[in-house]
Amino acid sequence: MTLGYENIIVAEDLDLTISQGDYLAIVGKNGSGKSTLMKTILGLVQPLKGQVILGEGFSRRDMGYLPQVFAVQKDFPASVEEIVRSGFLSSLGKRFFYTGEMKEEADNNMELLGLEDLKKACYRDLSGGQQQRVLLARALCATRKMLLVDEPVAGLDPEAQFEMYGILHHLNHNKDVTIVMVSHDLEAVDKYADHVLSMGEEITYR
């Protein structure tokens, strides 16, 4: 598969398989195509050549996405509960209101991520680590099968970084959630990832 924008190639000869329960880390220098690959998997960008083949019974609705911090409006004036529940928006169809089941699952995800006491708090008043947990809870409302996370600890203090990695590890090993993570943190990659895709002039996968 060849990745790029407007016929400008950023990565080519890319061939890999992601299986259920994998923890895949994508590493490489800036501009090597890491985030482009993430967006291509999500269907936000089309490959210049080749295709992303989804497994039987799996669709892009089964993917949850946690974007880079700078891509998120950090001063959004909404409550934690409202943002977490918004993960179900693509599933509402013609309905105008969240179902009781959706609300219960949102509550469960907030509890899983230690946000139950902050559900009425304003998102913009939270710390960086708390905001990331809110966005992760929202992504879990979109899916429990596969999470794509782009530099999930960027800008967080060491304690919040440790917490975020612990949550992702728990979701992967205890909830069988497939994790695809773009990261510059090679120490964390060595500790947590089952597979590593290194992008650059030479692409390697192990």
Side-chain angles (χ1 to χ4, degrees):
M1 185 167 62
T2 300
L3 309 179
Y5 294 91
E6 299 177 353
N7 293 320
I8 299 175
I9 295 174
V10 297
E12 54 187 337
D13 298 326
L14 185 61
D15 184 14
L16 76 154
T17 299
I18 303 171
S19 301
Q20 180 65 37
D22 280 353
Y23 194 135
L24 169 66
I26 304 171
V27 302
K29 296 180 179 179
N30 290 335
S32 61
K34 302 186 302 297
S35 294
T36 303
L37 173 58
M38 184 85 71
K39 292 175 182 177
T40 302
I41 294 172
L42 287 163
L44 303 175
V45 174
Q46 294 301 311
L48 298 180
K49 182 180 179 181
Q51 61 182 321
V52 176
I53 301 174
L54 304 180
E56 185 176 354
F58 185 86
S59 74
R60 286 195 167 93
R61 286 192 174 186
D62 294 315
M63 301 179 187
Y65 179 44
L66 181 63
Q68 293 186 47
V69 174
F70 67 77
V72 179
Q73 187 175 358
K74 300 184 71 174
D75 61 350
F76 195 67
S79 71
V80 167
E81 183 177 59
E82 289 171 327
I83 290 177
V84 173
R85 287 180 178 179
S86 72
F88 290 114
L89 286 177
S90 64
S91 302
L92 284 177
K94 295 182 179 180
R95 295 189 298 268
F96 292 100
F97 303 100
Y98 300 114
T99 65
E101 185 178 351
M102 289 176 176
K103 293 177 181 179
E104 182 179 359
E105 186 170 348
D107 286 343
N108 291 338
N109 288 332
M110 284 185 282
E111 182 177 357
L112 175 66
L113 298 181
L115 298 167
E116 62 270 28
D117 294 333
L118 296 172
K119 60 192 300 185
K120 300 300 182 183
C122 184
Y123 176 78
R124 63 185 176 192
D125 294 333
L126 303 180
S127 69
Q130 290 170 331
Q131 288 183 339
Q132 280 293 79
R133 280 189 281 139
V134 171
L135 297 177
L136 184 56
R138 180 181 68 173
L140 283 173
C141 285
T143 182
R144 277 300 183 96
K145 292 185 178 181
M146 183 177 188
L147 287 175
L148 295 98
V149 294
D150 197 348
E151 299 286 0
V153 303
L156 302 184
D157 61 50
E159 182 178 351
Q161 290 183 24
F162 179 79
E163 183 180 68
M164 178 57 66
Y165 284 132
I167 291 169
L168 293 174
H169 177 77
H170 172 77
L171 291 172
N172 178 247
H173 281 260
N174 297 94
K175 303 293 184 179
D176 199 34
V177 177
T178 303
I179 304 292
V180 179
M181 176 180 71
V182 168
S183 180
H184 283 100
D185 188 344
L186 298 184
E187 183 177 343
V189 167
D190 285 339
K191 182 176 181 179
Y192 295 108
D194 300 319
H195 303 283
V196 179
L197 175 68
S198 179
M199 302 187 66
E201 292 184 6
E202 181 181 355
I203 294 177
T204 62
Y205 176 70
R206 60 174 175 84

